Amino acid sequence: MIELTPHLDSERRLPLYEQLYEYIKGEMVKGHLQTGEALPSIRVLAKHLRISRNTVEAAYAQLVAEGYVESRPRKGFIIKEFDKDVWMKLEPPFVIPLSVSPVSRYRYDFRYGHIDTAHFPLRAWRACLNEAMDASREELLWYGERQGERKLRQQIARYLFQARGIHCSDEQVIIGAGIHQITGLLCQLFSPEKNKIAMENPSYDGIRAVFINHRYQVLPISLEQDGLHIAELEQSDATVAYVTPSHQLPLGMVLPIGKRQKLLKWAETRNAFLIEDDYDSEFRYEGKPIPALKALDTQDRVIYIGTFSKVLTPAIRVCYMVLPKQLLSSFYQMFSSYHQPVATVVQKALALFMEKGYLERHIRKMRTVYAKKRQTLIHAIYDHFGEHATIIGEKAGLHLLVHFHHVMDADRLVKEAKGRGIHIYSVAKYWFDSQTSPPPYILLGFGSMTEQEMIEAIQLLKDIVQATRK
Amino acid sequence: MIELTPHLDSERRLPLYEQLYEYIKGEMVKGHLQTGEALPSIRVLAKHLRISRNTVEAAYAQLVAEGYVESRPRKGFIIKEFDKDVWMKLEPPFVIPLSVSPVSRYRYDFRYGHIDTAHFPLRAWRACLNEAMDASREELLWYGERQGERKLRQQIARYLFQARGIHCSDEQVIIGAGIHQITGLLCQLFSPEKNKIAMENPSYDGIRAVFINHRYQVLPISLEQDGLHIAELEQSDATVAYVTPSHQLPLGMVLPIGKRQKLLKWAETRNAFLIEDDYDSEFRYEGKPIPALKALDTQDRVIYIGTFSKVLTPAIRVCYMVLPKQLLSSFYQMFSSYHQPVATVVQKALALFMEKGYLERHIRKMRTVYAKKRQTLIHAIYDHFGEHATIIGEKAGLHLLVHFHHVMDADRLVKEAKGRGIHIYSVAKYWFDSQTSPPPYILLGFGSMTEQEMIEAIQLLKDIVQATRK
């Protein structure tokens, strides 16, 4: 029996089974292992090298698959005759320095987009997921409906009607796997002459990337105190505009009804489309509710986009859009061979979750939770900074912006804070042109922070801001 | 107390709650309902109209949200003063004739892409899904890693190594929500001068649609008896080629090793990329296994695409690609703000399913199941048609093509068969140019049919074919 004692290094990027495979192949090429010899049994080698049997099995299976070794009943793994020339030297796998971890490295993290997980109704969600698994095998295991499960689309239509005043049929609702995927569909859907898209400046960099990656020309439109500069839009030659009327991202203003009507008028006159990203509409803390742009859309010009990322969890990766009726036939035509991107079981579970009223209950609860967090954060800022800080964009959503007076270099402040274990965010990336320096606002997302953490972090931030001002 | 007796029609497209809402608003506008009057309680009206309380609640909630009605403690729902002019007449929701049902209308359906559901390890899958739910709240509820859960990518890298001889690091593996979404990313990733994509003619219409929808020029390359016409590719000015070497879609030939090497040489010489769609590689019934194109890719020119749709189920919507190392930095740069489209819990469950060896076991089992189905189908065809039918593309995968001699009009045969409850498929849609008439092959997918069903269907088909020949 051959003894194999490779140096296997679990710190290397190359998995252990691959290291073992490479070692055995190397020994064969060098002539240390000869045709007809038997490799140690999986059990013996695993024990000898103190690695799992799976690892040895994987290495052996590959040697068998590539014809270097043969598995013979009761004889084990026998080395076959082979031609040394076919040995192909492969480079070691490439090492990428990048690795995204969902867990923050900072003691306090004001990340935008993170939600409160403590109050998530995990039991109810799990029950829905399990109930969804009770569907028939065909329903669970075949491709589902292309535009999404009908039951989920019906629930969404009902929800939009109640929560946002939007009248739509479930036939207009398209389920998607996150806003980047669904906006990608829109980029394919627009006719080639609609190649100029207006966006608020600043605006969501993630969506801007989608448009640019699809080779659209993106036109920045400035913001006024109360949102989009309509006259500037009118002067542009855009034929599509992407807007965030319920809570401008990142500045946070709510677009007043008058401007909404002007926007709709613009779309009608120009034969243009409006993409309404209603991402933060469920959490409003002040002021009267304003109907969604889509609710006022008598001319069928608004593409409405909503998501479950904020109201439930981003981890289920479900969003949706409501298409104008005039776009539906092109949609069906262009995507007749595409499949629905969201797993059937997730869609079914979500439909049940909505049908049983869990979603509405959760949103009601979270409104209180987030309102309290927001209040605590605002109080903490005023307690420590008094008149030396200005808060904006706090009327809705899960983040606000703060300007610490006399702090002109937001990047430096962010860096100093990181050094003290606090992750706060510059808003620079939301602007189109990174040359023109954006106002030195700091973005604070309060979704995932506890009230105690926010109080502690703002207290610490006071010293850091004072040091930065000097 | 007002009595409301609307005519609610559950056959209408408009949901009941919306019909009720419209009715009440209409009554207000007409003056039948006056300011200060109370609507019936939810319980009473639900009972009266024999509809669910949810329905009444939804209608009332919307009336409250829009300010027509006020909810007062112990008084119920009171009609508020309102301005008749703000009443906005909305059109009834649009009716779309299209509705995709996953359930076949035919007694026998030879649909391509459907899998055998009877042997799916539902219990093991459910257990993995439940175990995945035991992860920490943060892991389960926040955005996951952009390119996919690391554990799943590691399992895929291990699987590809064992099953396909591919050496790659998990950093090269990108998880996607189906081939249309992931190919959409590729369309964004290629530099603008790479705007001409060669495809086999015939080829998968779904992917062709993705390229065309992204405004790529798609160049058809003919097939020879043994697959892609390499000389024709060399004469084209394509800089990307999409190929299905392990089981050409739809014709089913397996690309021989010599042509694989020529393809790789072409990519190297032209500074081009090859997209290898390895969709059917797991089920091979004849001939020696040939390594994947990616396994031979020493020059880092192959983008490998694999899917769980065939080996497990399309309903989880998980696929993956292995990117050449040279494309990784562009990938990270272009998509740094995109989120992973597959739900975290599904990825975690799948990683567990693979780690525990369920996937390998399932594939081994299904190889036998599908081999038997294929054998039964082939025998049934020969039993009933003898030398009057030719089968091609049967060496791998879940479908084969058959030519019933002297049947020149495949479309007519398909139509006649439908009339008898048998859904068989024409291959016309796979060709680029529907003008030039494709060979009259019939596509028979045998994944979801039982052996008994296939025997019955082929027997029935005999009469239909005879009638069509006349």
Side-chain angles (χ1 to χ4, degrees):
Chain A
M1 182 76 82
I2 303 162
E3 196 173 299
L4 297 173
T5 311
H7 173 65
L8 302 181
D9 182 356
S10 60
E11 297 297 303
R12 275 176 70 194
R13 283 274 168 174
L14 204 60
L16 289 182
Y17 58 82
E18 203 163 336
Q19 291 182 37
L20 180 58
Y21 156 89
E22 294 285 357
Y23 172 81
I24 296 174
K25 242 168 69 164
E27 294 296 287
M28 289 166 68
V29 171
K30 290 181 207 144
H32 299 167
L33 297 177
Q34 302 286 344
T35 306
E37 282 190 293
L39 293 175
S41 78
I42 290 171
R43 193 181 50 77
V44 166
L45 189 59
K47 204 173 164 195
H48 175 61
L49 299 177
R50 296 183 185 192
I51 56 180
S52 92
R53 289 190 197 183
N54 274 346
T55 305
V56 181
E57 207 179 325
Y60 281 17
Q62 188 51 32
L63 289 164
V64 171
E66 293 184 6
Y68 294 106
V69 165
E70 194 176 7
S71 167
R72 288 197 204 141
R74 282 190 308 277
K75 298 239 164 150
F77 294 89
I78 309 295
I79 292 172
K80 284 170 74 175
E81 204 167 354
F82 73 104
D83 179 359
K84 284 184 191 177
D85 293 341
V86 302
W87 169 269
M88 195 190 301
K89 185 84 195 83
L90 284 153
E91 293 167 64
F94 187 57
V95 178
I96 293 283
L98 254 159
S99 196
V100 189
S101 164
V103 180
S104 178
R105 287 178 297 128
Y106 299 94
R107 169 85 185 83
Y108 306 100
D109 194 340
F110 284 99
R111 181 177 292 276
Y112 168 73
H114 271 184
I115 56 155
D116 178 294
T117 56
H119 293 85
F120 185 85
L122 212 47
R123 246 188 21 208
W125 174 242
R126 197 170 182 150
C128 291
L129 210 51
N130 268 298
E131 193 176 329
M133 290 288 291
D134 291 336
S136 79
R137 281 179 174 254
E138 279 67 27
E139 268 191 277
L140 271 183
L141 299 176
W142 285 354
Y143 290 101
E145 290 183 78
R146 292 190 199 290
Q147 64 179 105
E149 293 289 303
R150 181 114 202 243
K151 282 212 169 149
L152 178 58
R153 290 185 285 116
Q154 285 172 335
Q155 287 295 330
I156 288 170
R158 180 179 181 277
Y159 172 78
L160 288 178
F161 173 70
Q162 271 188 41
R164 307 295 295 132
I166 293 170
H167 299 248
C168 67
S169 127
D170 58 66
E171 304 280 5
Q172 290 172 267
V173 178
I174 316 288
I175 309 291
I179 189 164
H180 302 92
Q181 182 266 335
I182 217 160
T183 317
L185 291 185
L186 284 179
C187 288
Q188 298 168 56
L189 185 62
F190 293 134
S191 53
E193 70 274 13
K194 292 221 185 305
N195 60 350
K196 288 178 184 163
I197 298 188
M199 282 185 88
E200 298 150 333
N201 186 21
S203 60
Y204 180 22
D205 57 320
I207 291 302
R208 201 162 62 225
V210 174
F211 293 140
I212 291 169
N213 289 346
H214 283 86
R215 289 157 208 174
Y216 276 82
Q217 195 182 333
V218 184
L219 312 173
I221 308 290
S222 357
L223 294 177
E224 298 178 300
Q225 210 59 34
D226 61 349
L228 195 76
H229 197 309
I230 306 282
E232 214 180 292
L233 175 66
E234 286 166 350
Q235 277 151 31
S236 81
D237 52 355
T239 40
V240 176
Y242 168 94
V243 288
T244 50
S246 61
H247 193 219
Q248 205 280 328
L249 187 61
L251 296 185
M253 63 276 274
V254 180
L255 199 71
I257 187 93
K259 281 202 161 178
R260 288 175 193 236
Q261 275 152 353
K262 278 186 190 159
L263 259 183
L264 291 166
K265 193 77 204 159
W266 168 81
E268 191 188 339
T269 317
R270 283 295 176 85
N271 189 25
F273 288 110
L274 289 161
I275 304 174
E276 176 181 29
D277 185 352
D278 206 28
Y279 75 107
D280 244 354
S281 60
E282 288 84 358
F283 302 118
R284 285 191 51 77
Y285 312 108
E286 288 174 31
K288 277 205 298 188
I290 297 176
L293 212 52
K294 183 69 192 164
L296 308 169
D297 179 28
T298 50
Q299 299 305 311
D300 206 28
R301 290 271 145 211
V302 177
I303 297 152
Y304 178 93
I305 297 183
T307 171
F308 290 95
S309 293
K310 305 286 179 301
V311 294
L312 194 58
T313 159
I316 56 167
R317 312 305 303 123
V318 183
C319 73
Y320 51 89
M321 64 178 170
V322 179
L323 278 185
K325 295 152 203 168
Q326 57 176 309
L327 283 177
L328 282 176
S329 62
S330 315
F331 183 88
Y332 288 123
Q333 216 175 345
M334 289 191 75
F335 305 124
S336 68
S337 55
Y338 285 32
H339 295 295
Q340 165 57 226
V342 180
T344 315
V345 70
V346 171
Q347 292 184 69
K348 283 186 185 297
L350 187 52
L352 285 167
F353 193 83
M354 294 177 83
E355 194 185 318
K356 289 167 192 279
Y358 290 132
L359 183 70
E360 277 172 59
R361 217 172 304 161
H362 182 59
I363 292 175
R364 266 203 304 277
K365 182 170 77 180
M366 295 317 291
R367 243 179 228 136
T368 318
V369 170
Y370 288 135
K372 224 164 145 250
K373 287 191 179 191
R374 165 186 172 272
Q375 203 56 39
T376 303
L377 178 58
I378 292 173
H379 281 168
I381 294 169
Y382 280 129
D383 284 354
H384 290 288
F385 294 92
E387 289 174 354
H388 303 294
T390 310
I391 293 172
I392 65 165
E394 79 287 11
K395 287 186 181 164
L398 302 182
H399 78 276
L400 51 77
L401 300 191
V402 56
H403 174 216
F404 300 110
H405 302 170
H406 309 298
V407 171
M408 297 318 290
D409 186 349
D411 285 339
R412 196 182 136 207
L413 180 60
V414 168
K415 204 178 147 201
E416 302 280 337
K418 275 186 183 174
R420 301 282 294 273
I422 307 172
H423 203 172
I424 57 177
Y425 294 82
S426 149
V427 291
K429 69 169 181 173
Y430 297 105
W431 264 266
F432 273 62
D433 189 353
S434 46
Q435 257 78 53
T436 41
S437 62
Y441 284 115
I442 295 295
L443 184 149
L444 301 179
F446 52 82
S448 67
M449 303 268 285
T450 67
E451 293 178 54
Q452 187 56 36
E453 282 167 356
M454 290 193 291
I455 291 169
E456 290 167 14
I458 297 299
Q459 189 159 16
L460 282 168
L461 210 53
K462 192 184 176 181
D463 301 341
I464 304 165
V465 166
Q466 270 169 352
T468 319
R469 277 188 188 134
K470 277 167 203 160
Chain B
M1 182 75 83
I2 304 162
E3 195 173 301
L4 296 174
T5 312
H7 173 65
L8 303 181
D9 181 356
S10 59
E11 297 297 304
R12 276 177 69 194
R13 282 275 168 175
L14 203 61
L16 289 182
Y17 58 83
E18 203 164 334
Q19 292 182 35
L20 181 58
Y21 156 90
E22 293 285 358
Y23 172 81
I24 296 174
K25 243 169 65 167
E27 294 295 288
M28 289 166 69
V29 170
K30 289 180 207 145
H32 299 166
L33 297 177
Q34 302 287 341
T35 307
E37 283 189 291
L39 293 176
S41 78
I42 290 171
R43 193 182 49 79
V44 166
L45 190 58
K47 206 174 160 193
H48 176 60
L49 299 177
R50 295 179 186 196
I51 55 180
S52 92
R53 289 191 196 183
N54 275 348
T55 305
V56 181
E57 207 180 323
Y60 281 17
Q62 187 53 28
L63 290 164
V64 171
E66 292 184 5
Y68 293 107
V69 165
E70 194 176 6
S71 167
R72 288 197 206 141
R74 282 190 308 279
K75 298 240 164 147
F77 295 89
I78 311 295
I79 293 172
K80 283 169 77 175
E81 204 166 353
F82 73 104
D83 179 359
K84 284 183 190 176
D85 293 342
V86 302
W87 169 268
M88 195 190 301
K89 185 83 196 84
L90 285 153
E91 292 168 64
F94 187 58
V95 179
I96 293 284
L98 253 159
S99 196
V100 189
S101 164
V103 181
S104 178
R105 289 178 294 128
Y106 299 94
R107 169 84 186 83
Y108 306 100
D109 195 339
F110 285 98
R111 181 178 293 276
Y112 168 73
H114 272 185
I115 56 155
D116 178 296
T117 56
H119 292 85
F120 185 85
L122 212 48
R123 240 178 39 199
W125 174 242
R126 196 170 184 148
C128 290
L129 209 52
N130 268 298
E131 192 176 331
M133 290 288 292
D134 291 334
S136 79
R137 280 177 174 258
E138 278 67 27
E139 268 190 278
L140 271 183
L141 300 175
W142 285 355
Y143 291 101
E145 290 183 78
R146 291 190 201 289
Q147 66 179 104
E149 293 289 303
R150 181 114 201 244
K151 281 214 169 146
L152 178 58
R153 291 186 282 115
Q154 286 172 335
Q155 287 295 330
I156 288 171
R158 181 179 181 277
Y159 172 77
L160 289 178
F161 173 71
Q162 270 187 41
R164 307 294 294 133
I166 293 169
H167 298 248
C168 67
S169 129
D170 59 65
E171 305 280 4
Q172 290 172 266
V173 178
I174 317 288
I175 308 291
I179 189 165
H180 302 92
Q181 181 267 334
I182 216 160
T183 318
L185 292 185
L186 284 179
C187 288
Q188 298 168 55
L189 185 62
F190 293 133
S191 53
E193 71 272 12
K194 291 220 184 308
N195 61 350
K196 288 179 185 160
I197 298 189
M199 281 186 91
E200 297 150 334
N201 186 21
S203 59
Y204 181 20
D205 56 319
I207 290 303
R208 201 163 62 224
V210 174
F211 293 140
I212 290 170
N213 289 345
H214 283 86
R215 289 155 208 176
Y216 276 81
Q217 197 184 330
V218 184
L219 311 174
I221 308 291
S222 356
L223 295 178
E224 299 178 300
Q225 210 58 33
D226 62 349
L228 196 75
H229 197 308
I230 305 284
E232 213 179 294
L233 174 66
E234 286 167 350
Q235 277 151 31
S236 80
D237 52 355
T239 41
V240 177
Y242 168 93
V243 288
T244 50
S246 61
H247 194 219
Q248 205 280 329
L249 187 61
L251 296 186
M253 63 276 275
V254 180
L255 199 71
I257 188 93
K259 282 202 160 179
R260 288 175 193 237
Q261 275 152 352
K262 278 186 189 158
L263 260 183
L264 290 165
K265 193 77 204 161
W266 168 82
E268 190 188 340
T269 317
R270 284 293 177 86
N271 189 25
F273 288 110
L274 289 162
I275 304 174
E276 176 181 28
D277 185 352
D278 205 29
Y279 76 108
D280 244 355
S281 61
E282 287 84 359
F283 303 117
R284 285 190 52 77
Y285 312 108
E286 288 174 34
K288 275 206 299 185
I290 296 176
L293 213 52
K294 183 68 191 165
L296 308 168
D297 178 30
T298 50
Q299 300 304 311
D300 207 26
R301 290 271 143 210
V302 177
I303 297 153
Y304 178 93
I305 297 183
T307 172
F308 291 96
S309 293
K310 304 287 179 299
V311 293
L312 194 57
T313 159
I316 56 168
R317 312 307 300 127
V318 183
C319 73
Y320 51 88
M321 62 178 171
V322 179
L323 278 184
K325 296 153 200 168
Q326 57 175 312
L327 282 177
L328 282 175
S329 61
S330 316
F331 183 88
Y332 288 124
Q333 216 175 345
M334 289 191 77
F335 304 124
S336 67
S337 56
Y338 285 32
H339 294 296
Q340 166 55 226
V342 180
T344 316
V345 70
V346 171
Q347 291 184 69
K348 283 185 186 295
L350 187 53
L352 286 167
F353 193 83
M354 294 177 83
E355 195 185 318
K356 289 168 192 280
Y358 290 133
L359 183 70
E360 278 173 56
R361 218 173 302 160
H362 182 59
I363 292 175
R364 265 202 305 275
K365 183 170 76 181
M366 294 318 292
R367 243 181 229 136
T368 318
V369 170
Y370 288 134
K372 226 166 141 248
K373 287 191 180 192
R374 165 187 172 271
Q375 202 57 38
T376 302
L377 178 59
I378 292 174
H379 281 167
I381 294 168
Y382 281 128
D383 283 353
H384 290 289
F385 294 93
E387 288 176 353
H388 304 293
T390 312
I391 295 171
I392 64 165
E394 80 287 10
K395 286 187 182 165
L398 303 182
H399 78 276
L400 49 77
L401 299 190
V402 56
H403 174 215
F404 300 111
H405 302 171
H406 310 297
V407 172
M408 296 320 289
D409 186 348
D411 285 339
R412 194 182 140 207
L413 180 59
V414 169
K415 206 180 146 200
E416 302 280 335
K418 276 186 182 174
R420 302 283 294 273
I422 307 172
H423 203 172
I424 56 177
Y425 294 82
S426 149
V427 291
K429 69 168 182 173
Y430 297 105
W431 265 266
F432 273 62
D433 189 353
S434 46
Q435 257 78 53
T436 40
S437 62
Y441 284 115
I442 296 294
L443 185 148
L444 302 178
F446 52 83
S448 67
M449 303 269 283
T450 67
E451 292 178 56
Q452 186 55 37
E453 282 166 356
M454 291 193 292
I455 291 169
E456 291 166 14
I458 296 299
Q459 189 158 14
L460 282 168
L461 211 53
K462 192 182 175 183
D463 300 339
I464 304 165
V465 166
Q466 270 169 351
T468 319
R469 278 188 188 135
K470 278 166 200 162

